[in-house]
Amino acid sequence: VSDMLLLAKAEHGLLLPRAEQIALADEVGALLDFYEALAEEKAIRVQQAGSGYIRGDRLMLRRAISNLISNALRHTPAGGLVAIGIECLPTGVELHVTNTGATIDPELLPRLFDRFFRADKARTHPETEGAGLGLAITRAIVQAHGGSASVSSADGRTRFTLSFPPA
């Protein structure tokens, strides 16, 4: 219910993030510390590279990034890799979460950020709970910060990109 309320507020422009300068590398590092045990348990290598600053609400951004890391760990097979990269570009800052594993059907990619959408059965994990709202929430948070979210998947690699305007 709280997830649906967050999405409704986002759609009506009622998410007003508290703006502060945020070092993305620090936020990613803290989240990777949190997910370290899960990655080790699944024998997944995790890498972090790059740095950049954005202005935004720290808790909201942490939730968006956490959703991506959690999904990447869920869909990466044992021995796979989850890589988080941060790039400073002339257009702003991009954060990429890339994982190895099953390629997502290109026809499904445009719908991944839709509420309640579940990708193909190869990427469904009944042992984990979820209502199919994580990526919709991630996109709403990024859009509330003036940014965008996108995804690509090919050759056994899936990459989610969060693009933010210059700080």
Side-chain angles (χ1 to χ4, degrees):
V1 173
S2 65
D3 289 345
M4 290 298 296
L5 179 60
L6 175 73
L7 286 169
K9 286 180 178 180
E11 286 177 351
H12 291 88
L14 299 176
L15 283 184
L16 300 174
R18 289 188 328 249
E20 63 180 290
Q21 186 158 322
I22 299 168
L24 283 178
D26 293 346
E27 297 306 314
V28 168
L31 287 166
L32 290 180
D33 287 344
F34 176 78
Y35 285 110
E36 180 179 15
L38 177 61
E40 285 180 11
E41 180 181 307
K42 292 186 71 178
I44 296 171
R45 294 176 295 128
V46 178
Q47 297 175 344
Q48 177 183 354
S51 63
Y53 292 87
I54 62 171
R55 289 198 58 77
D57 183 285
R58 182 179 311 278
L59 293 177
M60 288 177 65
L61 290 167
R62 192 175 273 206
R63 182 172 184 178
I65 298 166
S66 178
N67 285 345
L68 295 184
I69 294 171
S70 173
N71 283 352
L73 289 170
R74 184 179 305 121
H75 297 295
T76 301
L81 171 68
V82 172
I84 298 98
I86 302 165
E87 287 184 88
C88 291
L89 304 169
T91 56
V93 176
E94 288 188 351
L95 181 135
H96 308 281
V97 177
T98 306
N99 69 288
T100 56
T103 300
I104 301 171
D105 183 337
E107 292 180 13
L108 299 177
L109 293 176
R111 299 198 51 217
L112 288 182
F113 291 100
D114 292 350
R115 292 181 193 185
F116 307 115
F117 181 75
R118 300 287 184 137
D120 59 17
K121 292 179 183 169
R123 292 184 64 88
T124 300
H125 296 268
E127 70 276 6
T128 61
E129 291 187 27
L133 293 173
L135 291 176
I137 289 169
T138 296
R139 179 178 60 187
I141 289 170
V142 174
Q143 288 175 339
H145 287 79
S148 63
S150 61
V151 60
S152 63
S153 188
D155 302 322
R157 290 190 180 274
T158 298
R159 173 183 263 196
F160 285 86
T161 301
L162 305 182
S163 302
F164 298 96

